[in-house]
Amino acid sequence: MSDLKCDATSLYKPLDAAYWEAHYSAKTTGWDLGTVAPPIKMYIDKIADKNSRILIPGCGNSYEAEYLLNLGFTDITVIDIAPTPAVILQEKFKNNAAIQIVLGDFFEHQGNYDLIIEQTFFCALPPTMRQKYVWKMHQLLADKGILAGLLFNRTFESGPPFGGNQEEYEMLFKDAFSFLEMGPTQNSIAPRANSELFFELRKNSTVFVNMYQSENIKCSTSSSDVTEKLFTIESVLNASRSSDFEEILIVSIAAIDSKTIKDALSNSKEN
């Protein structure tokens, strides 16, 4: 991430390790289906290469990982920020060399993966982190790697979960990824029927995807004004600003230094 800071306070409560651990301790894990979501199961069944390097972030009890192991997949990594699910999985798979369980922050994780499976991780993050999600997924995937899974196609009064819609997601991932599939699911579990999208995206390895801190940009300056100015930079393909105004995601065909961005945004700076 490059240096470019708009002093804004997030509207969302911290969704940190303590928050999620409290839910596991209280057994208030309503997101846990107790099994693999049918659209993801169907997708896994079609994966031919059992040696694919697979990551599952925000894994929870990770029924997806268990299903992959049962099918003979050999290189699975799961990560969760809450200690309880990580400890349970470490004990459950302690003699299985095909899976690595990581207790930690996904956004600090390092690795190189052929496939990342999305299942209730994106929706658990405050919307302020969506630009950072795109950046980190692009960073972790190998050339032409795949990001696939489920997103909510609805809004919620509060969260988590946090929802959205297909148009919003398409704008968010545009140019950083190629869209292989994105659309409503036909086989969601009953409580989520007509409210999920299945998506499969391929990493665009020909572009630069970077995050910049929104230094000295007025919080009152509209995001459309900011992105308009960014599009005046010749190599920029896509740009979006986080909803707390603190970060900017830029997809470009060439590397862009922070000075170029500051110059383009000069009319948005504080006097």
Side-chain angles (χ1 to χ4, degrees):
M1 293 174 68
S2 301
D3 290 333
L4 258 181
K5 193 166 171 186
C6 177
D7 295 327
T9 302
S10 174
L11 299 175
Y12 303 102
K13 58 191 172 186
L15 302 180
D16 54 13
Y19 173 88
W20 294 109
E21 182 63 13
H23 275 284
Y24 280 103
S25 297
K27 301 188 186 305
T28 52
T29 54
W31 63 85
D32 190 318
L33 301 182
T35 187
V36 185
I40 292 180
K41 180 178 182 295
M42 182 180 293
Y43 180 76
I44 290 173
D45 288 342
K46 297 176 183 177
I47 303 173
D49 186 1
K50 295 293 194 293
N51 296 316
S52 296
R53 296 165 297 174
I54 300 174
L55 173 68
I56 304 174
C59 63
N61 289 312
S62 203
Y63 307 105
E64 297 79 19
E66 186 169 12
Y67 187 67
L68 287 162
L69 290 170
N70 289 340
L71 291 180
F73 284 83
T74 64
D75 194 345
I76 304 160
T77 301
V78 300
I79 182 170
D80 205 289
I81 200 170
T84 290
V87 169
I88 290 172
L89 291 175
Q90 286 167 352
E91 177 61 26
K92 185 175 185 177
F93 299 117
K94 62 183 178 182
N95 297 318
N96 195 326
I99 184 169
Q100 178 185 8
I101 296 96
V102 179
L103 171 60
D105 185 341
F106 165 78
F107 292 98
E108 296 177 1
H109 183 64
Q110 299 298 316
N112 194 246
Y113 299 96
D114 303 304
L115 170 65
I116 301 178
I117 296 176
E118 167 57 54
Q119 164 66 344
T120 64
F121 178 61
F122 180 91
C123 71
L125 298 171
T128 55
M129 298 186 72
R130 291 187 172 179
Q131 280 72 20
K132 194 172 183 178
Y133 175 101
V134 174
W135 164 75
K136 188 63 179 180
M137 289 296 180
H138 193 273
Q139 183 186 70
L140 287 172
L141 283 167
D143 287 352
K144 299 182 179 180
I146 298 293
L147 170 62
L150 295 169
L151 299 170
F152 275 114
N153 189 27
R154 57 161 293 188
T155 57
F156 297 89
E157 288 186 10
S158 62
F162 301 98
N165 58 67
Q166 184 167 343
E167 181 180 7
E168 175 187 348
Y169 302 144
E170 287 175 348
M171 290 301 297
L172 180 65
F173 290 100
K174 181 176 177 290
D175 296 307
F177 293 86
S178 300
F179 290 75
L180 303 180
E181 182 180 351
M182 180 176 282
T185 60
Q186 303 302 316
N187 60 339
S188 296
I189 62 166
R192 298 180 186 176
N194 304 312
S195 66
E196 289 184 314
L197 297 170
F198 182 83
F199 73 102
E200 184 182 15
L201 310 179
R202 175 178 287 130
K203 175 180 176 176
N204 182 354
S205 302
T206 69
V207 298
F208 294 82
V209 178
N210 284 302
M211 294 287 295
Y212 298 86
Q213 299 300 312
S214 303
E215 183 180 8
N216 295 329
I217 302 173
K218 293 180 182 179
C219 293
S220 59
T221 303
S222 72
S223 291
S224 60
D225 181 57
V226 169
T227 53
E228 225 175 85
K229 293 175 185 298
L230 291 171
F231 279 116
T232 65
I233 302 172
E234 187 175 351
S235 64
V236 170
L237 298 173
N238 193 16
S240 61
R241 186 184 188 187
S242 63
S243 57
D244 62 358
F245 312 110
E246 292 190 352
E247 295 175 319
I248 295 170
L249 174 72
I250 297 180
V251 183
S252 59
I253 58 176
I256 303 173
D257 59 38
S258 58
K259 182 180 184 303
T260 300
I261 294 171
K262 288 178 181 178
D263 289 344
L265 296 174
S266 58
N267 292 333
S268 295
K269 291 184 179 181
E270 302 275 12
N271 292 327

